[in-house]
Amino acid sequence: MRSSVLSLSSARDGYSATPPLDRAVASALPTRLRPADLLRLTDEGAEDVLAGRYDHLLPADGIWPAEERWAARLVADDEVDVWLISWTPGKSTELHDHAGSLGALTVLSGALSEFRWNGSELRRRTLAAGDQASFPIGWVHDVVRAPAAAESVGPLDPTLSVHAYSPPLSAMSYYEVTGHGTLRRTKTVLTDQPEGDL
């Protein structure tokens, strides 16, 4: 009853209880891009890397770093960052989130193991060449070169993936799983680097 009174009195006073339909409504997300958009960008980035469009950003001698992960920013603007990452055996990103950024990746070569916190435990999945994944806000995971990939490829055949973040990364939080089966944040760092410090 009250809402009909409000509508009648508002209409009589020249006000409307409903907002105008031609007005833009702000998204609840910090970016206009959606996970599907980021997956498309990583797929296009992967195609461009394979087509040689980013050869000028690759290691000059053609030998990929064997001890530490390596990355090159392929695209950077106010809305999105797209990165090419080379993964080395045994170097994980540690359990982390991407703060207020959405993310996605496409694996170009080799394979990655992702350990994702599902609310009660870490779940593992393997992403092989051609596989994609997206990460909503609040996604906590650890990524490492898959053991099988470490055995099957050498320094000239690295494990590579293309990642996109929107808005561009500005911070990451790191976590540990407690003895009680919960997640505890250990630190938050300001960064514009992908998937942990390189």
Side-chain angles (χ1 to χ4, degrees):
M1 178 73 169
R2 182 177 180 155
S3 63
S4 62
V5 172
L6 177 62
S7 296
L8 289 175
S9 67
S10 296
R12 192 176 40 223
D13 297 334
Y15 297 102
S16 171
T18 57
L21 297 177
D22 59 344
R23 186 177 74 150
V25 177
S27 168
L29 296 175
T31 175
R32 72 174 183 85
L33 298 178
R34 300 291 183 254
D37 299 318
L38 297 179
L39 289 168
R40 180 184 48 78
L41 288 171
T42 61
D43 193 45
E44 290 171 358
E47 287 177 12
D48 288 345
V49 168
L50 294 173
R53 291 186 186 93
Y54 291 110
D55 283 356
H56 63 285
L57 298 177
L58 304 182
D61 55 8
I63 298 176
W64 297 87
E67 300 299 319
E68 299 296 327
R69 283 181 296 124
W70 171 94
R73 186 179 276 131
L74 305 178
V75 175
D77 61 32
D78 292 340
E79 193 167 53
V80 68
D81 271 347
V82 180
W83 291 85
L84 173 65
I85 302 176
S86 171
W87 299 83
T88 56
K91 299 290 183 177
S92 80
T93 60
E94 300 181 40
L95 204 55
H96 68 280
D97 67 20
H98 303 114
S101 298
L102 301 173
L105 69 84
T106 296
V107 179
L108 271 75
S109 61
L112 298 175
S113 291
E114 179 194 35
F115 300 88
R116 179 183 65 87
W117 180 253
N118 71 359
S120 59
E121 64 182 350
L122 290 174
R123 299 291 302 245
R124 179 185 177 173
R125 68 175 167 172
T126 299
L127 301 167
D131 288 344
Q132 293 187 298
S134 63
F135 316 116
I137 292 175
W139 191 272
V140 176
H141 68 167
D142 184 7
V143 181
V144 65
R145 183 174 173 168
E151 297 166 4
S152 65
V153 294
L156 298 178
D157 300 308
T159 294
L160 297 173
S161 57
V162 173
H163 298 241
Y165 305 96
S166 184
L169 285 176
S170 60
M172 293 173 66
S173 292
Y174 291 86
Y175 299 86
E176 66 182 8
V177 179
T178 70
H180 301 292
T182 60
L183 207 56
R184 176 179 27 226
R185 185 172 47 215
T186 58
K187 65 182 176 179
T188 299
V189 296
L190 298 177
T191 185
D192 66 351
Q193 298 295 307
E195 296 304 315
D197 293 329
L198 297 171

